[in-house]
PDB file of all heavy atoms in Angstrom:
ATOM      1  N   ALA A   1       5.863   3.654  -0.019  1.00 87.00           N
ATOM      2  CA  ALA A   1       6.610   4.971   0.336  1.00 87.00           C
ATOM      3  C   ALA A   1       7.767   5.207  -0.580  1.00 87.00           C
ATOM      4  O   ALA A   1       8.108   6.453  -0.793  1.00 87.00           O
ATOM      5  CB  ALA A   1       7.028   4.877   1.800  1.00 87.00           C
ATOM      6  N   LYS A   2       8.340   4.188  -1.011  1.00 85.00           N
ATOM      7  CA  LYS A   2       9.626   4.307  -2.064  1.00 85.00           C
ATOM      8  C   LYS A   2       9.060   4.652  -3.475  1.00 85.00           C
ATOM      9  O   LYS A   2       9.812   4.999  -4.335  1.00 85.00           O
ATOM     10  CB  LYS A   2      10.301   3.114  -2.054  1.00 85.00           C
ATOM     11  CG  LYS A   2      11.194   2.789  -0.864  1.00 85.00           C
ATOM     12  CD  LYS A   2      11.909   1.478  -0.850  1.00 85.00           C
ATOM     13  CE  LYS A   2      12.968   1.496  -1.955  1.00 85.00           C
ATOM     14  NZ  LYS A   2      13.743   0.151  -2.059  1.00 85.00           N
ATOM     15  N   GLY A   3       7.705   4.627  -3.693  1.00 87.00           N
ATOM     16  CA  GLY A   3       7.211   5.056  -4.927  1.00 87.00           C
ATOM     17  C   GLY A   3       6.884   3.929  -5.932  1.00 87.00           C
ATOM     18  O   GLY A   3       6.619   4.148  -7.080  1.00 87.00           O
ATOM     19  N   LEU A   4       6.988   2.700  -5.479  1.00 88.00           N
ATOM     20  CA  LEU A   4       6.691   1.504  -6.316  1.00 88.00           C
ATOM     21  C   LEU A   4       5.161   1.447  -6.612  1.00 88.00           C
ATOM     22  O   LEU A   4       4.379   1.820  -5.811  1.00 88.00           O
ATOM     23  CB  LEU A   4       7.170   0.184  -5.705  1.00 88.00           C
ATOM     24  CG  LEU A   4       8.616  -0.117  -5.990  1.00 88.00           C
ATOM     25  CD1 LEU A   4       9.643   0.763  -5.212  1.00 88.00           C
ATOM     26  CD2 LEU A   4       8.881  -1.655  -5.526  1.00 88.00           C
ATOM     27  N   SER A   5       4.858   0.996  -7.809  1.00 91.00           N
ATOM     28  CA  SER A   5       3.372   0.811  -8.269  1.00 91.00           C
ATOM     29  C   SER A   5       2.860  -0.484  -7.729  1.00 91.00           C
ATOM     30  O   SER A   5       3.597  -1.311  -7.221  1.00 91.00           O
ATOM     31  CB  SER A   5       3.378   0.817  -9.831  1.00 91.00           C
ATOM     32  OG  SER A   5       3.920  -0.426 -10.323  1.00 91.00           O
ATOM     33  N   VAL A   6       1.625  -0.627  -7.763  1.00 92.00           N
ATOM     34  CA  VAL A   6       0.893  -1.838  -7.370  1.00 92.00           C
ATOM     35  C   VAL A   6       1.494  -3.062  -8.108  1.00 92.00           C
ATOM     36  O   VAL A   6       1.726  -4.146  -7.517  1.00 92.00           O
ATOM     37  CB  VAL A   6      -0.505  -1.723  -7.544  1.00 92.00           C
ATOM     38  CG1 VAL A   6      -1.365  -3.099  -7.316  1.00 92.00           C
ATOM     39  CG2 VAL A   6      -1.228  -0.666  -6.608  1.00 92.00           C
ATOM     40  N   ASN A   7       1.693  -2.828  -9.467  1.00 92.00           N
ATOM     41  CA  ASN A   7       2.258  -3.939 -10.284  1.00 92.00           C
ATOM     42  C   ASN A   7       3.610  -4.283  -9.803  1.00 92.00           C
ATOM     43  O   ASN A   7       3.995  -5.501  -9.704  1.00 92.00           O
ATOM     44  CB  ASN A   7       2.228  -3.497 -11.692  1.00 92.00           C
ATOM     45  CG  ASN A   7       2.731  -4.626 -12.702  1.00 92.00           C
ATOM     46  OD1 ASN A   7       2.153  -5.613 -12.700  1.00 92.00           O
ATOM     47  ND2 ASN A   7       3.823  -4.368 -13.358  1.00 92.00           N
ATOM     48  N   ASP A   8       4.454  -3.234  -9.510  1.00 91.00           N
ATOM     49  CA  ASP A   8       5.812  -3.487  -9.031  1.00 91.00           C
ATOM     50  C   ASP A   8       5.863  -4.306  -7.792  1.00 91.00           C
ATOM     51  O   ASP A   8       6.574  -5.225  -7.493  1.00 91.00           O
ATOM     52  CB  ASP A   8       6.582  -2.274  -8.931  1.00 91.00           C
ATOM     53  CG  ASP A   8       6.960  -1.521 -10.283  1.00 91.00           C
ATOM     54  OD1 ASP A   8       7.004  -2.277 -11.242  1.00 91.00           O
ATOM     55  OD2 ASP A   8       7.153  -0.334 -10.190  1.00 91.00           O
ATOM     56  N   ILE A   9       4.972  -3.860  -6.768  1.00 89.00           N
ATOM     57  CA  ILE A   9       4.921  -4.489  -5.503  1.00 89.00           C
ATOM     58  C   ILE A   9       4.477  -6.009  -5.591  1.00 89.00           C
ATOM     59  O   ILE A   9       5.017  -6.817  -4.939  1.00 89.00           O
ATOM     60  CB  ILE A   9       3.967  -3.715  -4.544  1.00 89.00           C
ATOM     61  CG1 ILE A   9       4.626  -2.315  -4.249  1.00 89.00           C
ATOM     62  CG2 ILE A   9       3.809  -4.383  -3.176  1.00 89.00           C
ATOM     63  CD1 ILE A   9       3.697  -1.312  -3.497  1.00 89.00           C
ATOM     64  N   ALA A  10       3.482  -6.161  -6.446  1.00 91.00           N
ATOM     65  CA  ALA A  10       2.953  -7.505  -6.629  1.00 91.00           C
ATOM     66  C   ALA A  10       3.989  -8.420  -7.214  1.00 91.00           C
ATOM     67  O   ALA A  10       4.121  -9.533  -6.738  1.00 91.00           O
ATOM     68  CB  ALA A  10       1.735  -7.502  -7.521  1.00 91.00           C
ATOM     69  N   THR A  11       4.729  -8.004  -8.103  1.00 88.00           N
ATOM     70  CA  THR A  11       5.728  -8.751  -8.707  1.00 88.00           C
ATOM     71  C   THR A  11       6.946  -9.035  -7.652  1.00 88.00           C
ATOM     72  O   THR A  11       7.396 -10.169  -7.563  1.00 88.00           O
ATOM     73  CB  THR A  11       6.448  -8.050  -9.972  1.00 88.00           C
ATOM     74  OG1 THR A  11       5.348  -7.889 -10.931  1.00 88.00           O
ATOM     75  CG2 THR A  11       7.544  -8.789 -10.540  1.00 88.00           C
ATOM     76  N   LEU A  12       7.313  -8.035  -6.997  1.00 84.00           N
ATOM     77  CA  LEU A  12       8.479  -8.195  -6.115  1.00 84.00           C
ATOM     78  C   LEU A  12       8.122  -9.016  -4.878  1.00 84.00           C
ATOM     79  O   LEU A  12       8.953  -9.884  -4.570  1.00 84.00           O
ATOM     80  CB  LEU A  12       8.783  -6.724  -5.538  1.00 84.00           C
ATOM     81  CG  LEU A  12      10.018  -6.664  -4.638  1.00 84.00           C
ATOM     82  CD1 LEU A  12      11.276  -7.099  -5.448  1.00 84.00           C
ATOM     83  CD2 LEU A  12      10.217  -5.323  -4.126  1.00 84.00           C
ATOM     84  N   LEU A  13       6.863  -8.969  -4.407  1.00 84.00           N
ATOM     85  CA  LEU A  13       6.526  -9.870  -3.218  1.00 84.00           C
ATOM     86  C   LEU A  13       5.741 -11.151  -3.646  1.00 84.00           C
ATOM     87  O   LEU A  13       5.400 -11.946  -2.711  1.00 84.00           O
ATOM     88  CB  LEU A  13       5.562  -9.101  -2.317  1.00 84.00           C
ATOM     89  CG  LEU A  13       6.174  -7.774  -1.741  1.00 84.00           C
ATOM     90  CD1 LEU A  13       5.186  -7.174  -0.797  1.00 84.00           C
ATOM     91  CD2 LEU A  13       7.454  -8.166  -0.954  1.00 84.00           C
ATOM     92  N   SER A  14       5.611 -11.374  -5.030  1.00 85.00           N
ATOM     93  CA  SER A  14       5.050 -12.567  -5.499  1.00 85.00           C
ATOM     94  C   SER A  14       3.546 -12.662  -4.934  1.00 85.00           C
ATOM     95  O   SER A  14       3.229 -13.851  -4.505  1.00 85.00           O
ATOM     96  CB  SER A  14       5.855 -13.792  -5.149  1.00 85.00           C
ATOM     97  OG  SER A  14       7.137 -13.727  -5.743  1.00 85.00           O
ATOM     98  N   ILE A  15       2.852 -11.609  -5.039  1.00 88.00           N
ATOM     99  CA  ILE A  15       1.388 -11.672  -4.547  1.00 88.00           C
ATOM    100  C   ILE A  15       0.577 -11.040  -5.693  1.00 88.00           C
ATOM    101  O   ILE A  15       1.107 -10.430  -6.603  1.00 88.00           O
ATOM    102  CB  ILE A  15       1.200 -10.919  -3.224  1.00 88.00           C
ATOM    103  CG1 ILE A  15       1.735  -9.523  -3.270  1.00 88.00           C
ATOM    104  CG2 ILE A  15       1.826 -11.650  -2.132  1.00 88.00           C
ATOM    105  CD1 ILE A  15       1.504  -8.651  -2.015  1.00 88.00           C
ATOM    106  N   SER A  16      -0.787 -11.099  -5.609  1.00 92.00           N
ATOM    107  CA  SER A  16      -1.570 -10.645  -6.600  1.00 92.00           C
ATOM    108  C   SER A  16      -1.907  -9.098  -6.461  1.00 92.00           C
ATOM    109  O   SER A  16      -1.564  -8.567  -5.391  1.00 92.00           O
ATOM    110  CB  SER A  16      -3.007 -11.395  -6.684  1.00 92.00           C
ATOM    111  OG  SER A  16      -3.621 -10.998  -5.389  1.00 92.00           O
ATOM    112  N   HIS A  17      -2.392  -8.513  -7.510  1.00 92.00           N
ATOM    113  CA  HIS A  17      -2.634  -7.104  -7.406  1.00 92.00           C
ATOM    114  C   HIS A  17      -3.777  -6.911  -6.390  1.00 92.00           C
ATOM    115  O   HIS A  17      -3.799  -5.880  -5.604  1.00 92.00           O
ATOM    116  CB  HIS A  17      -3.200  -6.552  -8.807  1.00 92.00           C
ATOM    117  CG  HIS A  17      -1.943  -6.443  -9.722  1.00 92.00           C
ATOM    118  ND1 HIS A  17      -2.118  -5.875 -11.002  1.00 92.00           N
ATOM    119  CD2 HIS A  17      -0.716  -7.033  -9.748  1.00 92.00           C
ATOM    120  CE1 HIS A  17      -0.962  -6.012 -11.631  1.00 92.00           C
ATOM    121  NE2 HIS A  17      -0.201  -6.720 -10.984  1.00 92.00           N
ATOM    122  N   LYS A  18      -4.706  -7.714  -6.281  1.00 93.00           N
ATOM    123  CA  LYS A  18      -5.795  -7.722  -5.337  1.00 93.00           C
ATOM    124  C   LYS A  18      -5.302  -7.764  -3.913  1.00 93.00           C
ATOM    125  O   LYS A  18      -5.786  -7.040  -3.126  1.00 93.00           O
ATOM    126  CB  LYS A  18      -6.786  -8.816  -5.594  1.00 93.00           C
ATOM    127  CG  LYS A  18      -7.982  -8.742  -4.694  1.00 93.00           C
ATOM    128  CD  LYS A  18      -9.117  -9.957  -5.049  1.00 93.00           C
ATOM    129  CE  LYS A  18     -10.235  -9.866  -4.152  1.00 93.00           C
ATOM    130  NZ  LYS A  18     -11.236 -10.854  -4.427  1.00 93.00           N
ATOM    131  N   THR A  19      -4.302  -8.508  -3.640  1.00 94.00           N
ATOM    132  CA  THR A  19      -3.719  -8.695  -2.327  1.00 94.00           C
ATOM    133  C   THR A  19      -3.028  -7.350  -1.966  1.00 94.00           C
ATOM    134  O   THR A  19      -3.112  -6.903  -0.814  1.00 94.00           O
ATOM    135  CB  THR A  19      -2.859  -9.796  -2.232  1.00 94.00           C
ATOM    136  OG1 THR A  19      -3.397 -11.026  -2.655  1.00 94.00           O
ATOM    137  CG2 THR A  19      -2.175  -9.974  -0.756  1.00 94.00           C
ATOM    138  N   VAL A  20      -2.345  -6.664  -2.900  1.00 93.00           N
ATOM    139  CA  VAL A  20      -1.630  -5.501  -2.607  1.00 93.00           C
ATOM    140  C   VAL A  20      -2.805  -4.408  -2.314  1.00 93.00           C
ATOM    141  O   VAL A  20      -2.527  -3.727  -1.365  1.00 93.00           O
ATOM    142  CB  VAL A  20      -0.821  -5.068  -3.777  1.00 93.00           C
ATOM    143  CG1 VAL A  20      -0.208  -3.621  -3.638  1.00 93.00           C
ATOM    144  CG2 VAL A  20       0.340  -6.001  -4.126  1.00 93.00           C
ATOM    145  N   ALA A  21      -3.826  -4.423  -3.059  1.00 92.00           N
ATOM    146  CA  ALA A  21      -4.881  -3.474  -2.706  1.00 92.00           C
ATOM    147  C   ALA A  21      -5.445  -3.718  -1.413  1.00 92.00           C
ATOM    148  O   ALA A  21      -5.745  -2.741  -0.632  1.00 92.00           O
ATOM    149  CB  ALA A  21      -5.962  -3.606  -3.818  1.00 92.00           C
ATOM    150  N   THR A  22      -5.553  -4.976  -1.022  1.00 93.00           N
ATOM    151  CA  THR A  22      -6.068  -5.239   0.371  1.00 93.00           C
ATOM    152  C   THR A  22      -5.150  -4.635   1.399  1.00 93.00           C
ATOM    153  O   THR A  22      -5.604  -4.121   2.407  1.00 93.00           O
ATOM    154  CB  THR A  22      -6.274  -6.804   0.521  1.00 93.00           C
ATOM    155  OG1 THR A  22      -7.161  -7.263  -0.474  1.00 93.00           O
ATOM    156  CG2 THR A  22      -6.765  -7.139   1.947  1.00 93.00           C
ATOM    157  N   TYR A  23      -3.865  -4.868   1.231  1.00 91.00           N
ATOM    158  CA  TYR A  23      -2.948  -4.306   2.249  1.00 91.00           C
ATOM    159  C   TYR A  23      -3.036  -2.816   2.165  1.00 91.00           C
ATOM    160  O   TYR A  23      -2.780  -2.234   3.220  1.00 91.00           O
ATOM    161  CB  TYR A  23      -1.473  -4.775   1.829  1.00 91.00           C
ATOM    162  CG  TYR A  23      -1.190  -6.156   2.238  1.00 91.00           C
ATOM    163  CD1 TYR A  23      -0.788  -7.154   1.368  1.00 91.00           C
ATOM    164  CD2 TYR A  23      -1.338  -6.497   3.610  1.00 91.00           C
ATOM    165  CE1 TYR A  23      -0.658  -8.450   1.741  1.00 91.00           C
ATOM    166  CE2 TYR A  23      -1.031  -7.843   3.987  1.00 91.00           C
ATOM    167  CZ  TYR A  23      -0.666  -8.774   3.129  1.00 91.00           C
ATOM    168  OH  TYR A  23      -0.442 -10.106   3.538  1.00 91.00           O
ATOM    169  N   GLN A  24      -3.119  -2.136   1.025  1.00 92.00           N
ATOM    170  CA  GLN A  24      -3.262  -0.733   1.079  1.00 92.00           C
ATOM    171  C   GLN A  24      -4.454  -0.244   1.918  1.00 92.00           C
ATOM    172  O   GLN A  24      -4.361   0.647   2.585  1.00 92.00           O
ATOM    173  CB  GLN A  24      -3.430  -0.183  -0.384  1.00 92.00           C
ATOM    174  CG  GLN A  24      -2.240  -0.244  -1.411  1.00 92.00           C
ATOM    175  CD  GLN A  24      -2.467   0.171  -2.733  1.00 92.00           C
ATOM    176  OE1 GLN A  24      -3.437  -0.227  -3.360  1.00 92.00           O
ATOM    177  NE2 GLN A  24      -1.599   1.192  -3.173  1.00 92.00           N
ATOM    178  N   THR A  25      -5.588  -0.989   1.805  1.00 91.00           N
ATOM    179  CA  THR A  25      -6.795  -0.657   2.529  1.00 91.00           C
ATOM    180  C   THR A  25      -6.479  -0.775   4.076  1.00 91.00           C
ATOM    181  O   THR A  25      -6.869   0.065   4.851  1.00 91.00           O
ATOM    182  CB  THR A  25      -7.897  -1.592   2.169  1.00 91.00           C
ATOM    183  OG1 THR A  25      -8.205  -1.369   0.726  1.00 91.00           O
ATOM    184  CG2 THR A  25      -9.251  -1.190   3.028  1.00 91.00           C
ATOM    185  N   ARG A  26      -5.794  -1.890   4.451  1.00 91.00           N
ATOM    186  CA  ARG A  26      -5.443  -2.050   5.846  1.00 91.00           C
ATOM    187  C   ARG A  26      -4.498  -1.020   6.392  1.00 91.00           C
ATOM    188  O   ARG A  26      -4.653  -0.430   7.438  1.00 91.00           O
ATOM    189  CB  ARG A  26      -4.717  -3.416   5.992  1.00 91.00           C
ATOM    190  CG  ARG A  26      -5.603  -4.629   5.844  1.00 91.00           C
ATOM    191  CD  ARG A  26      -4.762  -5.877   5.975  1.00 91.00           C
ATOM    192  NE  ARG A  26      -5.561  -7.072   5.671  1.00 91.00           N
ATOM    193  CZ  ARG A  26      -4.900  -8.251   5.717  1.00 91.00           C
ATOM    194  NH1 ARG A  26      -3.640  -8.442   6.055  1.00 91.00           N
ATOM    195  NH2 ARG A  26      -5.633  -9.412   5.417  1.00 91.00           N
ATOM    196  N   LEU A  27      -3.531  -0.553   5.484  1.00 91.00           N
ATOM    197  CA  LEU A  27      -2.577   0.497   5.959  1.00 91.00           C
ATOM    198  C   LEU A  27      -3.382   1.865   6.109  1.00 91.00           C
ATOM    199  O   LEU A  27      -3.103   2.511   7.106  1.00 91.00           O
ATOM    200  CB  LEU A  27      -1.571   0.669   4.857  1.00 91.00           C
ATOM    201  CG  LEU A  27      -0.526  -0.475   4.725  1.00 91.00           C
ATOM    202  CD1 LEU A  27       0.373  -0.350   3.518  1.00 91.00           C
ATOM    203  CD2 LEU A  27       0.372  -0.515   5.976  1.00 91.00           C
ATOM    204  N   LYS A  28      -4.255   2.053   5.246  1.00 90.00           N
ATOM    205  CA  LYS A  28      -5.050   3.393   5.397  1.00 90.00           C
ATOM    206  C   LYS A  28      -5.847   3.406   6.705  1.00 90.00           C
ATOM    207  O   LYS A  28      -5.888   4.337   7.346  1.00 90.00           O
ATOM    208  CB  LYS A  28      -5.915   3.519   4.114  1.00 90.00           C
ATOM    209  CG  LYS A  28      -5.269   3.841   2.843  1.00 90.00           C
ATOM    210  CD  LYS A  28      -6.270   3.937   1.719  1.00 90.00           C
ATOM    211  CE  LYS A  28      -5.687   4.307   0.407  1.00 90.00           C
ATOM    212  NZ  LYS A  28      -6.611   4.292  -0.580  1.00 90.00           N
ATOM    213  N   ARG A  29      -6.311   2.350   7.117  1.00 89.00           N
ATOM    214  CA  ARG A  29      -7.215   2.101   8.307  1.00 89.00           C
ATOM    215  C   ARG A  29      -6.234   2.213   9.544  1.00 89.00           C
ATOM    216  O   ARG A  29      -6.521   2.979  10.439  1.00 89.00           O
ATOM    217  CB  ARG A  29      -7.942   0.887   8.284  1.00 89.00           C
ATOM    218  CG  ARG A  29      -8.857   0.647   9.537  1.00 89.00           C
ATOM    219  CD  ARG A  29      -9.646  -0.566   9.476  1.00 89.00           C
ATOM    220  NE  ARG A  29      -8.786  -1.760   9.714  1.00 89.00           N
ATOM    221  CZ  ARG A  29      -8.571  -2.625   8.843  1.00 89.00           C
ATOM    222  NH1 ARG A  29      -8.985  -2.494   7.535  1.00 89.00           N
ATOM    223  NH2 ARG A  29      -7.687  -3.659   9.138  1.00 89.00           N
ATOM    224  N   LYS A  30      -5.190   1.492   9.580  1.00 88.00           N
ATOM    225  CA  LYS A  30      -4.324   1.415  10.747  1.00 88.00           C
ATOM    226  C   LYS A  30      -3.540   2.588  10.918  1.00 88.00           C
ATOM    227  O   LYS A  30      -3.288   2.991  12.204  1.00 88.00           O
ATOM    228  CB  LYS A  30      -3.342   0.122  10.545  1.00 88.00           C
ATOM    229  CG  LYS A  30      -3.951  -1.228  10.735  1.00 88.00           C
ATOM    230  CD  LYS A  30      -2.860  -2.230  10.721  1.00 88.00           C
ATOM    231  CE  LYS A  30      -3.437  -3.693  11.167  1.00 88.00           C
ATOM    232  NZ  LYS A  30      -2.375  -4.733  11.239  1.00 88.00           N
ATOM    233  N   LEU A  31      -3.152   3.301   9.874  1.00 87.00           N
ATOM    234  CA  LEU A  31      -2.255   4.455  10.094  1.00 87.00           C
ATOM    235  C   LEU A  31      -3.014   5.759   9.803  1.00 87.00           C
ATOM    236  O   LEU A  31      -2.448   6.875   9.848  1.00 87.00           O
ATOM    237  CB  LEU A  31      -1.095   4.318   9.100  1.00 87.00           C
ATOM    238  CG  LEU A  31      -0.183   3.132   9.201  1.00 87.00           C
ATOM    239  CD1 LEU A  31       0.866   3.224   8.121  1.00 87.00           C
ATOM    240  CD2 LEU A  31       0.397   3.112  10.668  1.00 87.00           C
ATOM    241  N   ASN A  32      -4.393   5.690   9.524  1.00 87.00           N
ATOM    242  CA  ASN A  32      -5.232   6.831   9.352  1.00 87.00           C
ATOM    243  C   ASN A  32      -4.629   7.644   8.204  1.00 87.00           C
ATOM    244  O   ASN A  32      -4.513   8.933   8.264  1.00 87.00           O
ATOM    245  CB  ASN A  32      -5.326   7.637  10.597  1.00 87.00           C
ATOM    246  CG  ASN A  32      -6.416   8.684  10.530  1.00 87.00           C
ATOM    247  OD1 ASN A  32      -7.454   8.531   9.795  1.00 87.00           O
ATOM    248  ND2 ASN A  32      -6.280   9.814  11.247  1.00 87.00           N
ATOM    249  N   ILE A  33      -4.454   7.040   7.123  1.00 87.00           N
ATOM    250  CA  ILE A  33      -3.909   7.671   5.853  1.00 87.00           C
ATOM    251  C   ILE A  33      -5.061   8.133   4.965  1.00 87.00           C
ATOM    252  O   ILE A  33      -5.946   7.316   4.646  1.00 87.00           O
ATOM    253  CB  ILE A  33      -2.939   6.710   5.114  1.00 87.00           C
ATOM    254  CG1 ILE A  33      -1.737   6.355   5.986  1.00 87.00           C
ATOM    255  CG2 ILE A  33      -2.573   7.243   3.762  1.00 87.00           C
ATOM    256  CD1 ILE A  33      -0.861   5.265   5.259  1.00 87.00           C
ATOM    257  N   GLN A  34      -4.963   9.411   4.698  1.00 86.00           N
ATOM    258  CA  GLN A  34      -5.962   9.945   3.841  1.00 86.00           C
ATOM    259  C   GLN A  34      -5.543  10.187   2.400  1.00 86.00           C
ATOM    260  O   GLN A  34      -6.317  10.215   1.505  1.00 86.00           O
ATOM    261  CB  GLN A  34      -6.443  11.373   4.342  1.00 86.00           C
ATOM    262  CG  GLN A  34      -6.934  11.336   5.883  1.00 86.00           C
ATOM    263  CD  GLN A  34      -8.139  10.453   6.011  1.00 86.00           C
ATOM    264  OE1 GLN A  34      -8.965  10.379   5.228  1.00 86.00           O
ATOM    265  NE2 GLN A  34      -8.234   9.663   7.111  1.00 86.00           N
ATOM    266  N   SER A  35      -4.226  10.214   2.271  1.00 85.00           N
ATOM    267  CA  SER A  35      -3.687  10.515   0.819  1.00 85.00           C
ATOM    268  C   SER A  35      -2.239   9.966   0.807  1.00 85.00           C
ATOM    269  O   SER A  35      -1.614   9.654   1.744  1.00 85.00           O
ATOM    270  CB  SER A  35      -3.623  12.038   0.639  1.00 85.00           C
ATOM    271  OG  SER A  35      -2.616  12.632   1.429  1.00 85.00           O
ATOM    272  N   PRO A  36      -1.755   9.765  -0.407  1.00 82.00           N
ATOM    273  CA  PRO A  36      -0.360   9.283  -0.569  1.00 82.00           C
ATOM    274  C   PRO A  36       0.598  10.160   0.040  1.00 82.00           C
ATOM    275  O   PRO A  36       1.676   9.728   0.599  1.00 82.00           O
ATOM    276  CB  PRO A  36      -0.149   9.356  -2.090  1.00 82.00           C
ATOM    277  CG  PRO A  36      -1.536   9.209  -2.740  1.00 82.00           C
ATOM    278  CD  PRO A  36      -2.401   9.969  -1.709  1.00 82.00           C
ATOM    279  N   ILE A  37       0.380  11.467   0.168  1.00 85.00           N
ATOM    280  CA  ILE A  37       1.276  12.465   0.879  1.00 85.00           C
ATOM    281  C   ILE A  37       1.334  12.104   2.311  1.00 85.00           C
ATOM    282  O   ILE A  37       2.372  12.073   2.985  1.00 85.00           O
ATOM    283  CB  ILE A  37       0.788  13.867   0.671  1.00 85.00           C
ATOM    284  CG1 ILE A  37       0.818  14.349  -0.734  1.00 85.00           C
ATOM    285  CG2 ILE A  37       1.643  14.789   1.577  1.00 85.00           C
ATOM    286  CD1 ILE A  37       0.402  15.683  -1.080  1.00 85.00           C
ATOM    287  N   ASP A  38       0.209  11.700   3.008  1.00 85.00           N
ATOM    288  CA  ASP A  38       0.199  11.382   4.388  1.00 85.00           C
ATOM    289  C   ASP A  38       1.073  10.129   4.530  1.00 85.00           C
ATOM    290  O   ASP A  38       1.820  10.057   5.571  1.00 85.00           O
ATOM    291  CB  ASP A  38      -1.151  10.927   4.787  1.00 85.00           C
ATOM    292  CG  ASP A  38      -2.137  12.209   4.902  1.00 85.00           C
ATOM    293  OD1 ASP A  38      -1.619  13.261   5.046  1.00 85.00           O
ATOM    294  OD2 ASP A  38      -3.363  11.934   4.988  1.00 85.00           O
ATOM    295  N   LEU A  39       1.078   9.179   3.639  1.00 86.00           N
ATOM    296  CA  LEU A  39       1.845   7.956   3.860  1.00 86.00           C
ATOM    297  C   LEU A  39       3.353   8.302   3.732  1.00 86.00           C
ATOM    298  O   LEU A  39       4.104   7.813   4.580  1.00 86.00           O
ATOM    299  CB  LEU A  39       1.380   6.974   2.678  1.00 86.00           C
ATOM    300  CG  LEU A  39       2.167   5.547   2.749  1.00 86.00           C
ATOM    301  CD1 LEU A  39       1.183   4.508   2.203  1.00 86.00           C
ATOM    302  CD2 LEU A  39       3.480   5.518   1.911  1.00 86.00           C
ATOM    303  N   VAL A  40       3.768   9.102   2.849  1.00 85.00           N
ATOM    304  CA  VAL A  40       5.105   9.555   2.665  1.00 85.00           C
ATOM    305  C   VAL A  40       5.551  10.256   3.914  1.00 85.00           C
ATOM    306  O   VAL A  40       6.795  10.091   4.491  1.00 85.00           O
ATOM    307  CB  VAL A  40       5.414  10.328   1.431  1.00 85.00           C
ATOM    308  CG1 VAL A  40       6.791  10.843   1.409  1.00 85.00           C
ATOM    309  CG2 VAL A  40       5.092   9.559   0.203  1.00 85.00           C
ATOM    310  N   LYS A  41       4.702  11.130   4.487  1.00 85.00           N
ATOM    311  CA  LYS A  41       5.040  11.901   5.692  1.00 85.00           C
ATOM    312  C   LYS A  41       5.309  10.938   6.854  1.00 85.00           C
ATOM    313  O   LYS A  41       6.329  11.127   7.589  1.00 85.00           O
ATOM    314  CB  LYS A  41       4.038  12.907   6.003  1.00 85.00           C
ATOM    315  CG  LYS A  41       3.892  14.108   5.117  1.00 85.00           C
ATOM    316  CD  LYS A  41       2.795  15.066   5.510  1.00 85.00           C
ATOM    317  CE  LYS A  41       2.760  16.300   4.759  1.00 85.00           C
ATOM    318  NZ  LYS A  41       1.640  17.261   5.134  1.00 85.00           N
ATOM    319  N   ILE A  42       4.516   9.995   6.940  1.00 83.00           N
ATOM    320  CA  ILE A  42       4.658   8.902   8.066  1.00 83.00           C
ATOM    321  C   ILE A  42       5.941   8.202   7.876  1.00 83.00           C
ATOM    322  O   ILE A  42       6.793   8.080   8.872  1.00 83.00           O
ATOM    323  CB  ILE A  42       3.416   7.992   8.117  1.00 83.00           C
ATOM    324  CG1 ILE A  42       2.145   8.685   8.516  1.00 83.00           C
ATOM    325  CG2 ILE A  42       3.771   6.813   9.065  1.00 83.00           C
ATOM    326  CD1 ILE A  42       0.919   7.870   8.456  1.00 83.00           C
TER     327      ILE A  42
END
């Protein structure tokens, strides 16, 4: 939501890019997010 890239998030949280992508998928499912705009609105 703050605008960080997958690479930035992976570095900051010390996790892999693949793990960040997995969390993105979970967030879309749990929060019914269809687009980045939906995420920012929430």
Side-chain angles (χ1 to χ4, degrees):
K2 288 177 64 177
L4 272 69
S5 68
V6 169
N7 184 60
D8 290 338
I9 295 171
T11 300
L12 189 61
L13 301 182
S14 301
I15 56 180
S16 69
H17 291 192
K18 183 177 180 180
T19 301
V20 176
T22 298
Y23 282 120
Q24 285 180 309
T25 301
R26 291 182 188 175
L27 290 170
K28 289 178 181 178
R29 184 180 69 251
K30 286 188 173 184
L31 302 177
N32 193 27
I33 294 172
Q34 304 299 322
S35 70
I37 294 176
D38 290 341
L39 187 147
V40 173
K41 284 181 177 179
I42 291 173

